[in-house]
Amino acid sequence: MKNKKKKLSEEEEFAKYLEKIEDPNYQGGSQHLPDNATTSEKTKYEICEKIVKYKKNKQITTEELAKQIGLSRAETEDILYCRINYLTLDRLLNYTDKLFAPSRVKITFEEGRNVVYA
């Protein structure tokens, strides 16, 4: 009986953690994409992931990335931490043009999911 109570407590803690990181105002790191995310949210998240990979592959600092895309450090961190509620799709596409020029986005719709290539 003790293990069951402990397990329930762990599940409750995990649920609280998910609630915390899904909060649009969360500042503690990368935001989690909600399970019920819209196509637009998923697309913005995937573009943010592409930019994070670009930064890692180029081994550049956040400041260098910010300079390349013409943003402040704080605005760039919104991208790097996938704070998609602060970002619009058209702005993200403009940033990819600056990083991956010439760039092209291909959207493929599959039953039940959306795949974006930037």
Side-chain angles (χ1 to χ4, degrees):
M1 189 101 170
K2 219 177 194 183
N3 287 340
K4 200 172 201 179
K5 187 174 182 179
K6 183 179 180 184
K7 187 174 184 180
L8 183 62
S9 176
E10 289 172 2
E11 289 173 3
E12 289 172 346
E13 284 181 36
F14 185 68
K16 286 181 184 180
Y17 171 74
L18 285 179
E19 185 178 316
K20 177 181 167 184
I21 65 171
E22 289 176 353
D23 183 337
N25 298 314
Y26 177 63
Q27 296 292 319
S30 293
Q31 282 190 333
H32 174 68
L33 189 62
D35 291 336
N36 62 347
T38 66
T39 300
S40 176
E41 290 171 328
K42 291 175 189 174
T43 303
K44 291 190 293 185
Y45 195 87
E46 289 181 27
I47 292 171
C48 288
E49 287 181 326
K50 292 280 187 192
I51 295 173
V52 168
K53 287 178 186 173
Y54 171 88
K55 179 185 179 293
K56 183 178 179 179
N57 290 339
K58 296 289 184 178
Q59 297 180 341
I60 59 175
T61 65
T62 300
E63 290 79 10
E64 291 170 321
L65 179 64
K67 186 176 181 180
Q68 286 182 14
I69 57 181
L71 294 176
S72 69
R73 179 185 172 89
E75 292 169 316
T76 303
E77 286 177 347
D78 287 342
I79 296 169
L80 297 175
Y81 293 122
C82 300
R83 297 178 187 138
I84 60 173
N85 292 335
Y86 301 146
L87 305 163
T88 62
L89 189 53
D90 61 325
R91 282 179 50 209
L92 283 169
L93 291 172
N94 286 334
Y95 306 145
T96 61
D97 283 342
K98 293 177 181 181
L99 298 175
F100 306 108
S103 65
R104 188 182 113 178
V105 175
K106 179 179 178 182
I107 300 174
T108 304
F109 291 97
E110 298 175 1
E111 189 173 327
R113 70 184 259 212
N114 170 9
V115 180
V116 177
Y117 300 96

